[in-house]
Amino acid sequence: MNIVGLGGLLNEPACAVLKNGFLASAVEQKKVSRRFEAGELPQEAIESALKLAAIPSTGVDCVALARPFATGPEGALHLALRARFPASQLVLVEHHTAHAASAFFASPFEEATVLTLDRMGDFTCGARWNGKGNELRLDKELYYPDSLGDLYGRVTELLGFRANSEEHKVQWLSTAGDSGVFLPLFEEILGSHEWPRLDRSFFDSDRVSQGGFSAKFYRKLQLDDAAAIPQPMRATIAAGLQKAIERAVLRMADGASNVCLAGGLGFNALLVNALEQSKNVFVQPAAGNSGTAIGAALHAWHSVYQHNQRATLRDMCLGPHFAAEDVKKVLENCKLRFRYLMTTEDLVDSVVAQINDQKIIAWMQGRMEFGPRALGNRSILASPLNAYSTENLNIYIKHREPFRKFAASVPAELAAEYFEVGPNARHLATVGRVRPAHRKTFETAVLGDGLVRVHTVSAEDNALYHRLRHAAGKTTGLPVLYNTSFNLFGDPLVCNPRDAVRSFYSSGIDTLFAGNFMLEK
């Protein structure tokens, strides 16, 4: 049974292929083509995902399509699907059903409470489900405008960032603020019941900027109506919002031992960490709309075809990979000088030597990650022992705010020596806490209160990246490297060798390792 899942067609189009219950591939359109048209089939992503799964279009038994997927009449898309997949059955999956399936059926839990939380999908902005075996039963829904995601987006705009794309900046900014100052304000907005019901008196529908907050909201901030938010107050507002959201979600999950999380709020690593303090948690690493492609395929496998066998999510490196001849062709076409490292040992030794020489490394290996996070195949790497690494990465390479810190990648079996962290660190979906003995070592990556982004790496998930950590540890005594995504200026994660070369020469990165090819500036 070959199932194609399609999701996020209006804003984050992606394709996933489930082959006999095994997640064979998952590819985002923006990464493989750098373009998309809302409501159109992501043809390049489909082609790439089918090629990786070694399945022709005629061999697809089912196409599972997550809503919403059309900007106009839906019939045209159906005709396009029939033409592309002539032998397939079509299954339509509601937006939050796809989110729920992406989280529960990929989780290690046989039974769990599932929360799907986003800004707005098919009018629904949240839902709670009971998952058991191969079944998901809807328990309760949350409808717009009582949206946690919408409130987070409004505050994002209020603080001078872009709603629907830069909420992560508010999350990290919150770690520098005092949550107690404005927590009462945001709890008043959200209400204290189990299910949020936003107090609309804090919003003004006639205001189309700065989040659309009302005069009442500004009075609570002790500011003039519609005043610009003073710089010293921004982190405090972010902290109050973050804590209120965490408390609201904990109320929604009250009584649950096992919790699965998906939807846009699943990207909030601080929220995941708050849940982990009292519950067993699994968060879908591709929690946003692109992840509904995986969810749609899993829904068809379990709920439509009634298979009990779980399609375990082993790792998120589900995208394209490139052979040595592919890389070599690009480098030669660009007339670049390079070294080819003959063995894996040569590759690892060369990377370690560069890092020990205080260099910042671009690392492109194996299959591209699905989702927004770099998990060891499309990464920029630096040593925590380099006192200026975070400053250089932020200012001269990533060009981003200093409150946005980098992840510390560590072998999973050694993580407990340096950090206190939960299981979702496997996919960089939570935060940990630096152990006191190592606070000085990781001070440039520490968020407020000793928190740090941690990525635990196992040999099963990524053997080469795991080996690199240990090799670094043998020479320095510290098997940890700072890791951030290999992309620049808001672009998607690099996909192919040409993307890697372009980003490398557009930045202050010192050395690029693309497969076994090494380029230096």
Side-chain angles (χ1 to χ4, degrees), residues 328-340:
K328 185 172 184 286
K329 182 178 180 181
V330 169
L331 300 183
E332 289 182 339
N333 284 346
C334 294
K335 296 180 171 53
L336 300 174
R337 297 179 62 184
F338 58 84
R339 286 176 55 199
Y340 183 77

Side-chain angles (χ1 to χ4, degrees), residues 268-285:
N268 191 310
L270 299 177
L271 169 61
V272 175
N273 176 257
L275 288 167
E276 287 176 330
Q277 302 311 303
S278 58
K279 303 177 186 301
N280 302 313
V281 179
F282 174 82
V283 60
Q284 167 56 244

Side-chain angles (χ1 to χ4, degrees), residues 43 59 62 124 131 149 215 227 242 250 269 285 337 343 347 373 380 488 520:
Q43 299 288 2
C62 170
T124 305
Q242 177 67 34
L250 281 165
R337 297 179 62 184
T343 67
L347 170 64
R373 297 183 175 112
I380 300 173
L488 300 174
E520 294 182 89

Side-chain angles (χ1 to χ4, degrees), residues 107-119:
S107 79
F109 306 133
E110 180 65 21
E111 189 170 352
T113 293
V114 184
L115 293 177
T116 58
L117 302 167
D118 61 14
R119 189 163 190 168

Side-chain angles (χ1 to χ4, degrees), residues 46 55 65 116 130 150 155-156 191 241 253 458 467 486 488 497:
I46 292 171
I55 298 171
L65 182 60
T116 58
N130 295 319
D150 182 64
V155 175
T156 298
L241 169 71
S458 69
R467 179 175 174 178
F486 188 8
L488 300 174

Side-chain angles (χ1 to χ4, degrees), residues 219-336:
R219 286 197 300 272
K220 292 283 187 175
L221 295 181
Q222 297 184 354
L223 294 175
D224 293 337
D225 187 18
I229 304 300
Q231 193 71 21
M233 188 184 285
R234 294 169 74 246
T236 306
I237 291 174
L241 169 71
Q242 177 67 34
K243 182 61 69 174
I245 293 291
E246 291 171 7
R247 290 189 177 184
V249 174
L250 281 165
R251 288 194 296 271
M252 297 173 79
D254 188 41
S257 298
N258 300 328
V259 173
C260 298
L261 184 64
L265 263 71
F267 286 134
N268 191 310
L270 299 177
L271 169 61
V272 175
N273 176 257
L275 288 167
E276 287 176 330
Q277 302 311 303
S278 58
K279 303 177 186 301
N280 302 313
V281 179
F282 174 82
V283 60
Q284 167 56 244
N289 291 336
S290 63
T292 62
I294 293 176
L298 293 177
H299 170 81
W301 174 256
H302 288 291
S303 301
V304 177
Y305 294 106
Q306 295 294 304
H307 289 286
N308 292 318
Q309 173 195 342
R310 280 291 190 81
T312 304
L313 187 67
R314 293 190 299 185
D315 64 66
M316 295 300 290
C317 297
L318 299 166
H321 58 89
F322 300 89
E325 53 267 28
D326 299 321
V327 180
K328 185 172 184 286
K329 182 178 180 181
V330 169
L331 300 183
E332 289 182 339
N333 284 346
C334 294
K335 296 180 171 53
L336 300 174

